[in-house]
Amino acid sequence: SQQGEEDPQALSIQEGENATMNCSYKTSINNLQWYRQNSGRGLVHLILIRSNEREKHSGRLRVTLDTSKKSSSLLITASRAADTASYFCATDGGAQKLVFGQGTRLTINP
Amino acid sequence: GAVVSQHPSWVICKSGTSVKIECRSLDFQATTMFWYRQFPKQSLMLMATSNEGSKATYEQGVEKDKFLINHASLTLSTLTVTSAHPEDSSFYICSARAQVFTEAFFGQGTRLTVV
């Protein structure tokens, strides 16, 4: 079962620009996580934000969480060609299982 | 980060045969392992959650007798696709984590093709 939805489904921007992806979910969560997947590979964990946190930073990544709206956003600043990948949010709640959103396919054009 | 090794990375099998996929946490003890299935350009669909020493919890719609999951130790879980058919062809990914409500580490995935 898929927990939520991400938008946009696909995003294409120029290198150096910022990329913003959004994630919405439906149930209560303990935390929300963002992952990256390069084509045909496994996923790499990017950042975890807990339900009592509103914003978190890691390098060029900035994640926000609004539990009242059940939504989160991932911002990648100063994008690079190597950031081209699919990005997924995953909710982690009472059932103690990670359920992924539909993902955003990000393309950075040089 | 921690390392999860998944083997094999790809496999081709004949219809009607069984295939076993292994998922190992190399440098940590995984109390929980997850198995996902992914279709091209789609998201990860959770198949089951397995805890060491207990039976796996399958998601609704996933056939337990077809997708056998064993989590025999804190570092190894296996997924066996029994009596495989072409519609079972897919990308299967495992992940593991040491504690609840923490980040999960993913294997590189197994591309299964049933002919």
Side-chain angles (χ1 to χ4, degrees):
Chain A
S1 61
Q2 299 303 315
Q3 167 65 292
E5 299 177 358
E6 293 182 59
D7 79 276
Q9 291 189 356
L11 178 62
S12 180
I13 60 175
Q14 294 299 120
E15 195 167 17
E17 294 181 340
N18 296 341
T20 300
M21 290 158 269
N22 302 296
C23 167
S24 62
Y25 58 93
K26 298 176 182 176
T27 62
S28 298
I29 61 171
N30 172 279
N31 66 79
L32 185 143
Q33 305 181 28
W34 285 89
Y35 290 82
R36 163 197 169 123
Q37 182 182 35
N38 288 89
S39 182
R41 305 291 298 274
L43 278 70
V44 175
H45 181 265
L46 296 176
I47 200 163
L48 181 154
I49 185 165
R50 300 202 180 276
S51 59
N52 60 353
E53 298 176 307
R54 292 296 167 258
E55 187 172 311
K56 205 162 183 180
H57 297 254
S58 177
R60 293 184 295 114
L61 306 180
R62 172 177 169 253
V63 167
T64 62
L65 178 65
D66 187 335
T67 53
S68 66
K69 296 181 179 179
K70 289 186 166 57
S71 68
S72 175
S73 68
L74 170 67
L75 168 68
I76 303 175
T77 60
S79 63
R80 306 167 181 170
D83 295 330
T84 294
S86 290
Y87 292 81
F88 296 92
C89 67
T91 53
D92 195 3
Q96 299 178 14
K97 57 186 181 182
L98 280 177
V99 180
F100 284 80
Q102 296 301 314
T104 294
R105 291 192 303 280
L106 175 65
T107 302
I108 309 298
N109 302 303
Chain B
V3 178
V4 173
S5 174
Q6 186 173 341
H7 178 81
S9 55
W10 61 270
V11 58
I12 301 173
C13 71
K14 291 185 177 180
S15 189
T17 62
S18 296
V19 174
K20 180 183 283 189
I21 302 170
E22 290 190 351
C23 181
R24 294 182 183 270
S25 56
L26 298 186
D27 50 4
F28 69 100
Q29 293 186 326
T31 56
T32 306
M33 286 186 170
F34 304 98
W35 286 95
Y36 295 88
R37 182 173 180 175
Q38 186 177 33
F39 292 101
K41 297 186 178 181
Q42 294 190 24
S43 186
L44 283 74
M45 181 189 77
L46 180 64
M47 299 175 67
T49 302
S50 86
N51 295 295
E52 185 266 339
S54 61
K55 290 184 178 180
T57 301
Y58 289 80
E59 294 298 300
Q60 191 173 9
V62 178
E63 298 177 59
K64 301 178 183 181
D65 294 333
K66 178 156 195 67
F67 298 101
L68 300 179
I69 291 171
N70 182 276
H71 192 162
S73 75
L74 283 171
T75 60
L76 174 65
S77 177
T78 60
L79 167 66
T80 301
V81 183
T82 63
S83 187
H85 290 284
E87 56 266 31
D88 299 325
S89 297
S90 191
F91 192 59
Y92 293 88
I93 310 177
C94 72
S95 72
R97 60 182 180 183
Q99 298 177 15
V100 296
F101 303 137
T102 61
E103 64 186 293
F105 300 95
F106 281 77
Q108 288 302 300
T110 297
R111 186 160 303 284
L112 170 63
T113 302
V114 184
V115 297

Short mmCIF file of all heavy atoms in Angstrom, two decimals, chain A residues 1-2 30-31 33 35 37 40-45 48 50 88 92-94 96-103 105, chain B residues 32 34 36 38 41-46 49 59-60 91 93 95 97 100-109 111:
data_model
loop_
_atom_site.label_atom_id
_atom_site.label_comp_id
_atom_site.label_asym_id
_atom_site.label_seq_id
_atom_site.Cartn_x
_atom_site.Cartn_y
_atom_site.Cartn_z
N SER A 1 0.85 -1.19 0.00
CA SER A 1 0.00 0.00 0.00
C SER A 1 0.88 1.23 0.00
O SER A 1 1.94 1.25 0.63
CB SER A 1 -0.89 0.01 1.21
OG SER A 1 -0.13 0.03 2.38
N GLN A 2 0.49 2.25 -0.72
CA GLN A 2 1.24 3.47 -0.77
C GLN A 2 0.66 4.46 0.21
O GLN A 2 -0.54 4.67 0.29
CB GLN A 2 1.20 4.04 -2.20
CG GLN A 2 1.81 3.11 -3.23
CD GLN A 2 3.25 2.76 -2.90
OE1 GLN A 2 4.04 3.61 -2.54
NE2 GLN A 2 3.57 1.49 -2.97
N ASN A 30 5.58 8.72 13.15
CA ASN A 30 6.64 8.97 14.13
C ASN A 30 7.70 9.85 13.46
O ASN A 30 8.25 10.75 14.10
CB ASN A 30 7.26 7.67 14.58
CG ASN A 30 8.49 7.87 15.45
OD1 ASN A 30 9.59 8.11 14.96
ND2 ASN A 30 8.30 7.78 16.77
N ASN A 31 7.99 9.54 12.19
CA ASN A 31 8.95 10.33 11.44
C ASN A 31 8.68 10.18 9.95
O ASN A 31 7.90 9.30 9.53
CB ASN A 31 10.40 9.92 11.76
CG ASN A 31 10.71 8.50 11.29
OD1 ASN A 31 10.97 8.28 10.11
ND2 ASN A 31 10.68 7.55 12.21
N GLN A 33 10.89 10.14 6.19
CA GLN A 33 12.25 10.02 5.67
C GLN A 33 12.26 10.28 4.16
O GLN A 33 11.28 10.00 3.47
CB GLN A 33 12.80 8.62 5.96
CG GLN A 33 12.74 8.26 7.44
CD GLN A 33 13.30 6.90 7.75
OE1 GLN A 33 14.19 6.40 7.05
NE2 GLN A 33 12.81 6.29 8.83
N TYR A 35 14.48 9.51 0.62
CA TYR A 35 15.47 8.63 0.01
C TYR A 35 15.67 9.02 -1.44
O TYR A 35 14.81 9.61 -2.09
CB TYR A 35 15.01 7.17 0.06
CG TYR A 35 15.02 6.56 1.43
CD1 TYR A 35 13.96 6.78 2.32
CD2 TYR A 35 16.09 5.77 1.86
CE1 TYR A 35 13.97 6.22 3.59
CE2 TYR A 35 16.10 5.22 3.13
CZ TYR A 35 15.03 5.45 3.98
OH TYR A 35 15.04 4.89 5.25
N GLN A 37 17.05 7.39 -5.26
CA GLN A 37 17.31 6.17 -6.01
C GLN A 37 17.82 6.53 -7.39
O GLN A 37 17.15 7.20 -8.16
CB GLN A 37 16.06 5.31 -6.14
CG GLN A 37 16.30 3.99 -6.87
CD GLN A 37 15.05 3.15 -7.04
OE1 GLN A 37 13.96 3.68 -7.23
NE2 GLN A 37 15.19 1.83 -6.96
N GLY A 40 17.69 1.88 -11.46
CA GLY A 40 18.03 0.47 -11.36
C GLY A 40 18.86 0.09 -10.15
O GLY A 40 19.45 -0.98 -10.13
N ARG A 41 18.90 0.96 -9.17
CA ARG A 41 19.73 0.68 -7.99
C ARG A 41 18.89 0.69 -6.73
O ARG A 41 17.69 0.94 -6.74
CB ARG A 41 20.83 1.75 -7.87
CG ARG A 41 21.69 1.92 -9.10
CD ARG A 41 22.57 0.71 -9.35
NE ARG A 41 23.50 0.47 -8.28
CZ ARG A 41 24.69 1.04 -8.19
NH1 ARG A 41 25.06 1.94 -9.09
NH2 ARG A 41 25.50 0.74 -7.19
N GLY A 42 19.57 0.42 -5.61
CA GLY A 42 18.90 0.52 -4.33
C GLY A 42 18.73 1.96 -3.90
O GLY A 42 19.13 2.88 -4.60
N LEU A 43 18.12 2.14 -2.75
CA LEU A 43 17.86 3.49 -2.26
C LEU A 43 18.91 3.93 -1.25
O LEU A 43 19.45 3.11 -0.51
CB LEU A 43 16.49 3.56 -1.59
CG LEU A 43 15.29 3.72 -2.53
CD1 LEU A 43 15.04 2.47 -3.34
CD2 LEU A 43 14.05 4.12 -1.73
N VAL A 44 19.15 5.21 -1.23
CA VAL A 44 20.09 5.80 -0.29
C VAL A 44 19.33 6.76 0.61
O VAL A 44 18.58 7.62 0.12
CB VAL A 44 21.22 6.55 -1.03
CG1 VAL A 44 22.13 7.26 -0.04
CG2 VAL A 44 22.03 5.57 -1.88
N HIS A 45 19.52 6.63 1.90
CA HIS A 45 18.85 7.49 2.86
C HIS A 45 19.45 8.89 2.81
O HIS A 45 20.66 9.07 2.79
CB HIS A 45 19.02 6.92 4.26
CG HIS A 45 18.33 7.73 5.33
ND1 HIS A 45 19.00 8.69 6.06
CD2 HIS A 45 17.06 7.73 5.77
CE1 HIS A 45 18.16 9.24 6.91
NE2 HIS A 45 16.98 8.67 6.75
N LEU A 48 16.09 12.20 7.81
CA LEU A 48 14.95 11.78 8.62
C LEU A 48 14.50 12.97 9.45
O LEU A 48 15.33 13.62 10.10
CB LEU A 48 15.37 10.61 9.52
CG LEU A 48 14.32 9.98 10.46
CD1 LEU A 48 14.72 8.52 10.75
CD2 LEU A 48 14.17 10.75 11.76
N ARG A 50 11.65 14.02 12.42
CA ARG A 50 10.70 13.46 13.37
C ARG A 50 9.45 14.32 13.43
O ARG A 50 9.46 15.49 13.08
CB ARG A 50 11.35 13.30 14.75
CG ARG A 50 12.56 12.39 14.69
CD ARG A 50 12.93 11.76 16.01
NE ARG A 50 14.11 10.91 15.85
CZ ARG A 50 14.05 9.65 15.43
NH1 ARG A 50 12.89 9.10 15.12
NH2 ARG A 50 15.15 8.93 15.32
N PHE A 88 12.18 9.79 -3.10
CA PHE A 88 10.99 9.24 -2.47
C PHE A 88 10.90 9.69 -1.02
O PHE A 88 11.90 9.72 -0.30
CB PHE A 88 11.03 7.70 -2.47
CG PHE A 88 10.99 7.08 -3.83
CD1 PHE A 88 12.17 6.78 -4.50
CD2 PHE A 88 9.78 6.78 -4.44
CE1 PHE A 88 12.15 6.19 -5.75
CE2 PHE A 88 9.75 6.19 -5.69
CZ PHE A 88 10.93 5.89 -6.34
N ASP A 92 6.90 6.60 8.49
CA ASP A 92 7.28 5.61 9.50
C ASP A 92 6.36 5.86 10.68
O ASP A 92 6.53 6.82 11.42
CB ASP A 92 8.75 5.83 9.86
CG ASP A 92 9.36 4.67 10.61
OD1 ASP A 92 8.68 3.64 10.80
OD2 ASP A 92 10.53 4.78 11.00
N GLY A 93 5.37 4.99 10.85
CA GLY A 93 4.38 5.26 11.87
C GLY A 93 4.17 4.12 12.83
O GLY A 93 5.05 3.31 13.07
N GLY A 94 2.94 4.03 13.36
CA GLY A 94 2.65 3.07 14.39
C GLY A 94 2.88 1.62 14.01
O GLY A 94 3.18 0.78 14.85
N GLN A 96 5.26 0.57 12.39
CA GLN A 96 6.71 0.36 12.36
C GLN A 96 7.19 -0.20 11.03
O GLN A 96 8.07 -1.06 10.99
CB GLN A 96 7.14 -0.54 13.52
CG GLN A 96 6.82 0.08 14.87
CD GLN A 96 7.18 -0.81 16.03
OE1 GLN A 96 7.92 -1.78 15.87
NE2 GLN A 96 6.68 -0.48 17.21
N LYS A 97 6.59 0.29 9.96
CA LYS A 97 7.05 -0.10 8.64
C LYS A 97 7.18 1.14 7.78
O LYS A 97 6.47 2.13 7.99
CB LYS A 97 6.08 -1.09 7.99
CG LYS A 97 4.65 -0.59 7.87
CD LYS A 97 3.73 -1.68 7.36
CE LYS A 97 2.29 -1.16 7.21
NZ LYS A 97 1.37 -2.24 6.76
N LEU A 98 8.11 1.10 6.85
CA LEU A 98 8.35 2.23 5.96
C LEU A 98 7.49 2.08 4.73
O LEU A 98 7.62 1.09 4.01
CB LEU A 98 9.82 2.29 5.55
CG LEU A 98 10.80 2.90 6.54
CD1 LEU A 98 12.21 2.79 5.97
CD2 LEU A 98 10.45 4.34 6.81
N VAL A 99 6.65 3.07 4.49
CA VAL A 99 5.78 3.04 3.32
C VAL A 99 6.12 4.24 2.45
O VAL A 99 6.14 5.38 2.91
CB VAL A 99 4.30 3.09 3.74
CG1 VAL A 99 3.41 3.06 2.51
CG2 VAL A 99 3.98 1.91 4.66
N PHE A 100 6.36 3.97 1.18
CA PHE A 100 6.89 4.98 0.28
C PHE A 100 5.81 5.68 -0.54
O PHE A 100 4.79 5.10 -0.89
CB PHE A 100 7.90 4.34 -0.67
CG PHE A 100 9.21 4.05 -0.01
CD1 PHE A 100 9.38 2.94 0.79
CD2 PHE A 100 10.28 4.93 -0.18
CE1 PHE A 100 10.59 2.70 1.43
CE2 PHE A 100 11.49 4.70 0.45
CZ PHE A 100 11.64 3.58 1.26
N GLY A 101 6.11 6.94 -0.84
CA GLY A 101 5.29 7.70 -1.76
C GLY A 101 5.62 7.34 -3.19
O GLY A 101 6.46 6.47 -3.46
N GLN A 102 4.96 8.01 -4.13
CA GLN A 102 5.10 7.67 -5.55
C GLN A 102 6.42 8.12 -6.14
O GLN A 102 6.85 7.61 -7.16
CB GLN A 102 3.94 8.29 -6.34
CG GLN A 102 2.57 7.74 -5.96
CD GLN A 102 2.49 6.25 -6.16
OE1 GLN A 102 2.90 5.71 -7.18
NE2 GLN A 102 1.99 5.55 -5.15
N GLY A 103 7.05 9.09 -5.53
CA GLY A 103 8.36 9.52 -6.00
C GLY A 103 8.32 10.66 -7.01
O GLY A 103 7.32 10.87 -7.70
N ARG A 105 10.74 12.13 -10.15
CA ARG A 105 11.92 11.91 -11.00
C ARG A 105 12.52 13.28 -11.33
O ARG A 105 11.89 14.08 -12.02
CB ARG A 105 11.54 11.16 -12.27
CG ARG A 105 11.13 9.72 -12.04
CD ARG A 105 11.05 8.95 -13.35
NE ARG A 105 10.14 9.57 -14.30
CZ ARG A 105 8.81 9.40 -14.26
NH1 ARG A 105 8.26 8.68 -13.32
NH2 ARG A 105 8.04 9.98 -15.16
N THR B 32 14.79 -5.63 12.08
CA THR B 32 13.69 -5.63 11.11
C THR B 32 14.24 -5.54 9.70
O THR B 32 15.15 -4.76 9.44
CB THR B 32 12.74 -4.43 11.34
OG1 THR B 32 12.30 -4.43 12.68
CG2 THR B 32 11.53 -4.53 10.40
N PHE B 34 12.77 -5.37 5.55
CA PHE B 34 11.61 -5.14 4.69
C PHE B 34 11.91 -5.67 3.29
O PHE B 34 13.03 -5.55 2.80
CB PHE B 34 11.31 -3.64 4.57
CG PHE B 34 11.09 -2.94 5.88
CD1 PHE B 34 12.13 -2.22 6.48
CD2 PHE B 34 9.87 -2.96 6.52
CE1 PHE B 34 11.94 -1.55 7.68
CE2 PHE B 34 9.67 -2.30 7.72
CZ PHE B 34 10.71 -1.60 8.30
N TYR B 36 10.55 -5.24 -0.68
CA TYR B 36 9.75 -4.42 -1.57
C TYR B 36 9.82 -4.97 -2.98
O TYR B 36 10.79 -5.64 -3.37
CB TYR B 36 10.28 -2.97 -1.60
CG TYR B 36 10.17 -2.23 -0.29
CD1 TYR B 36 11.19 -2.31 0.66
CD2 TYR B 36 9.07 -1.42 -0.01
CE1 TYR B 36 11.09 -1.60 1.85
CE2 TYR B 36 8.98 -0.71 1.18
CZ TYR B 36 9.99 -0.81 2.10
OH TYR B 36 9.91 -0.12 3.28
N GLN B 38 9.33 -3.44 -7.01
CA GLN B 38 9.26 -2.19 -7.75
C GLN B 38 9.10 -2.47 -9.24
O GLN B 38 9.92 -3.19 -9.83
CB GLN B 38 10.51 -1.34 -7.51
CG GLN B 38 10.44 0.04 -8.14
CD GLN B 38 11.66 0.88 -7.83
OE1 GLN B 38 12.77 0.37 -7.70
NE2 GLN B 38 11.47 2.19 -7.70
N LYS B 41 9.73 2.51 -13.32
CA LYS B 41 9.32 3.88 -13.15
C LYS B 41 8.18 4.04 -12.14
O LYS B 41 7.40 5.00 -12.21
CB LYS B 41 8.93 4.50 -14.50
CG LYS B 41 10.09 4.56 -15.47
CD LYS B 41 9.73 5.29 -16.74
CE LYS B 41 10.94 5.37 -17.67
NZ LYS B 41 10.63 6.10 -18.93
N GLN B 42 8.10 3.13 -11.21
CA GLN B 42 7.08 3.23 -10.17
C GLN B 42 7.73 3.22 -8.79
O GLN B 42 8.94 3.07 -8.66
CB GLN B 42 6.07 2.10 -10.31
CG GLN B 42 5.23 2.17 -11.58
CD GLN B 42 4.09 1.19 -11.56
OE1 GLN B 42 3.61 0.77 -10.50
NE2 GLN B 42 3.63 0.82 -12.74
N SER B 43 6.89 3.37 -7.79
CA SER B 43 7.40 3.41 -6.43
C SER B 43 7.65 2.01 -5.89
O SER B 43 7.41 1.01 -6.57
CB SER B 43 6.42 4.15 -5.54
OG SER B 43 6.95 4.32 -4.25
N LEU B 44 8.12 1.95 -4.67
CA LEU B 44 8.36 0.67 -4.01
C LEU B 44 7.07 0.22 -3.34
O LEU B 44 6.46 0.97 -2.57
CB LEU B 44 9.44 0.81 -2.95
CG LEU B 44 10.88 0.87 -3.43
CD1 LEU B 44 11.20 2.20 -4.06
CD2 LEU B 44 11.83 0.61 -2.26
N MET B 45 6.68 -1.01 -3.60
CA MET B 45 5.50 -1.57 -2.97
C MET B 45 5.97 -2.52 -1.86
O MET B 45 6.66 -3.50 -2.13
CB MET B 45 4.66 -2.34 -3.99
CG MET B 45 3.40 -2.93 -3.40
SD MET B 45 2.56 -4.03 -4.54
CE MET B 45 3.59 -5.49 -4.40
N LEU B 46 5.60 -2.21 -0.63
CA LEU B 46 6.00 -3.05 0.49
C LEU B 46 5.29 -4.40 0.39
O LEU B 46 4.06 -4.46 0.27
CB LEU B 46 5.65 -2.37 1.82
CG LEU B 46 6.00 -3.14 3.08
CD1 LEU B 46 7.52 -3.32 3.20
CD2 LEU B 46 5.47 -2.41 4.32
N THR B 49 7.12 -7.33 6.10
CA THR B 49 8.07 -6.90 7.13
C THR B 49 8.45 -8.13 7.93
O THR B 49 7.57 -8.90 8.35
CB THR B 49 7.41 -5.88 8.06
OG1 THR B 49 6.95 -4.77 7.28
CG2 THR B 49 8.40 -5.39 9.11
N GLU B 59 1.85 -7.76 3.57
CA GLU B 59 0.89 -6.73 3.21
C GLU B 59 -0.30 -7.38 2.50
O GLU B 59 -0.21 -8.47 1.93
CB GLU B 59 1.53 -5.69 2.31
CG GLU B 59 2.61 -4.88 3.00
CD GLU B 59 2.08 -4.08 4.17
OE1 GLU B 59 1.19 -3.22 3.97
OE2 GLU B 59 2.56 -4.30 5.31
N GLN B 60 -1.40 -6.68 2.58
CA GLN B 60 -2.62 -7.18 1.94
C GLN B 60 -2.39 -7.38 0.45
O GLN B 60 -1.81 -6.52 -0.23
CB GLN B 60 -3.75 -6.17 2.16
CG GLN B 60 -5.12 -6.67 1.76
CD GLN B 60 -6.22 -5.70 2.16
OE1 GLN B 60 -5.94 -4.58 2.57
NE2 GLN B 60 -7.45 -6.12 2.01
N PHE B 91 11.65 -6.01 -10.04
CA PHE B 91 12.83 -5.60 -9.28
C PHE B 91 12.46 -5.74 -7.80
O PHE B 91 11.51 -5.12 -7.34
CB PHE B 91 13.18 -4.16 -9.64
CG PHE B 91 14.52 -3.70 -9.15
CD1 PHE B 91 15.68 -4.35 -9.52
CD2 PHE B 91 14.63 -2.58 -8.33
CE1 PHE B 91 16.93 -3.92 -9.08
CE2 PHE B 91 15.87 -2.14 -7.89
CZ PHE B 91 17.02 -2.81 -8.26
N ILE B 93 13.66 -5.43 -3.81
CA ILE B 93 14.64 -4.71 -2.99
C ILE B 93 14.39 -5.03 -1.52
O ILE B 93 13.24 -5.02 -1.07
CB ILE B 93 14.54 -3.19 -3.17
CG1 ILE B 93 14.54 -2.80 -4.65
CG2 ILE B 93 15.69 -2.49 -2.46
CD1 ILE B 93 14.36 -1.32 -4.86
N SER B 95 15.49 -4.05 2.57
CA SER B 95 16.11 -3.05 3.42
C SER B 95 16.12 -3.56 4.85
O SER B 95 15.36 -4.47 5.20
CB SER B 95 15.39 -1.71 3.33
OG SER B 95 14.14 -1.77 3.97
N ARG B 97 16.97 -2.38 9.17
CA ARG B 97 17.32 -1.36 10.15
C ARG B 97 17.51 -2.00 11.51
O ARG B 97 16.93 -3.04 11.80
CB ARG B 97 16.32 -0.23 10.20
CG ARG B 97 14.89 -0.56 10.55
CD ARG B 97 14.08 0.72 10.47
NE ARG B 97 12.67 0.53 10.80
CZ ARG B 97 11.77 1.50 10.75
NH1 ARG B 97 12.13 2.73 10.38
NH2 ARG B 97 10.51 1.26 11.07
N VAL B 100 13.63 0.40 15.52
CA VAL B 100 12.43 1.01 14.96
C VAL B 100 12.59 2.52 14.92
O VAL B 100 13.37 3.10 15.67
CB VAL B 100 11.18 0.64 15.79
CG1 VAL B 100 10.94 -0.86 15.73
CG2 VAL B 100 11.32 1.10 17.23
N PHE B 101 11.89 3.10 13.99
CA PHE B 101 11.85 4.55 13.83
C PHE B 101 13.23 5.16 13.58
O PHE B 101 13.54 6.26 14.04
CB PHE B 101 11.20 5.23 15.04
CG PHE B 101 9.80 4.74 15.32
CD1 PHE B 101 9.39 4.48 16.61
CD2 PHE B 101 8.90 4.54 14.28
CE1 PHE B 101 8.09 4.03 16.87
CE2 PHE B 101 7.61 4.09 14.52
CZ PHE B 101 7.21 3.83 15.83
N THR B 102 14.06 4.41 12.85
CA THR B 102 15.35 4.94 12.43
C THR B 102 15.47 4.75 10.92
O THR B 102 14.58 4.18 10.29
CB THR B 102 16.52 4.24 13.13
OG1 THR B 102 16.47 2.83 12.79
CG2 THR B 102 16.44 4.38 14.64
N GLU B 103 16.58 5.22 10.37
CA GLU B 103 16.75 5.08 8.93
C GLU B 103 16.93 3.61 8.56
O GLU B 103 17.40 2.79 9.35
CB GLU B 103 17.97 5.88 8.47
CG GLU B 103 19.27 5.37 9.06
CD GLU B 103 20.43 6.26 8.69
OE1 GLU B 103 20.77 6.31 7.50
OE2 GLU B 103 21.01 6.87 9.60
N ALA B 104 16.55 3.32 7.34
CA ALA B 104 16.73 1.97 6.81
C ALA B 104 17.83 1.99 5.76
O ALA B 104 18.05 3.00 5.08
CB ALA B 104 15.43 1.46 6.19
N PHE B 105 18.52 0.87 5.64
CA PHE B 105 19.58 0.73 4.66
C PHE B 105 19.15 -0.31 3.64
O PHE B 105 18.61 -1.36 4.00
CB PHE B 105 20.89 0.32 5.35
CG PHE B 105 21.34 1.34 6.36
CD1 PHE B 105 21.01 1.20 7.70
CD2 PHE B 105 22.06 2.45 5.97
CE1 PHE B 105 21.40 2.16 8.63
CE2 PHE B 105 22.46 3.41 6.88
CZ PHE B 105 22.12 3.26 8.22
N PHE B 106 19.41 0.01 2.38
CA PHE B 106 18.87 -0.80 1.29
C PHE B 106 19.95 -1.63 0.59
O PHE B 106 21.09 -1.18 0.43
CB PHE B 106 18.19 0.10 0.26
CG PHE B 106 16.82 0.54 0.68
CD1 PHE B 106 16.66 1.54 1.62
CD2 PHE B 106 15.69 -0.07 0.16
CE1 PHE B 106 15.39 1.94 2.03
CE2 PHE B 106 14.42 0.32 0.56
CZ PHE B 106 14.28 1.32 1.50
N GLY B 107 19.53 -2.82 0.16
CA GLY B 107 20.36 -3.59 -0.75
C GLY B 107 20.28 -2.99 -2.14
O GLY B 107 19.50 -2.06 -2.39
N GLN B 108 21.09 -3.51 -3.05
CA GLN B 108 21.14 -2.97 -4.40
C GLN B 108 20.03 -3.48 -5.29
O GLN B 108 19.89 -3.03 -6.42
CB GLN B 108 22.50 -3.31 -5.04
CG GLN B 108 23.63 -2.51 -4.43
CD GLN B 108 23.39 -1.02 -4.56
OE1 GLN B 108 23.26 -0.47 -5.64
NE2 GLN B 108 23.30 -0.33 -3.43
N GLY B 109 19.23 -4.40 -4.79
CA GLY B 109 18.10 -4.89 -5.57
C GLY B 109 18.45 -6.12 -6.39
O GLY B 109 19.61 -6.37 -6.72
N ARG B 111 17.04 -8.02 -9.90
CA ARG B 111 16.13 -8.01 -11.05
C ARG B 111 15.83 -9.44 -11.44
O ARG B 111 16.72 -10.17 -11.87
CB ARG B 111 16.75 -7.26 -12.23
CG ARG B 111 15.76 -7.10 -13.40
CD ARG B 111 16.15 -5.99 -14.35
NE ARG B 111 16.30 -4.70 -13.70
CZ ARG B 111 15.29 -3.92 -13.31
NH1 ARG B 111 14.04 -4.32 -13.50
NH2 ARG B 111 15.51 -2.76 -12.74
#
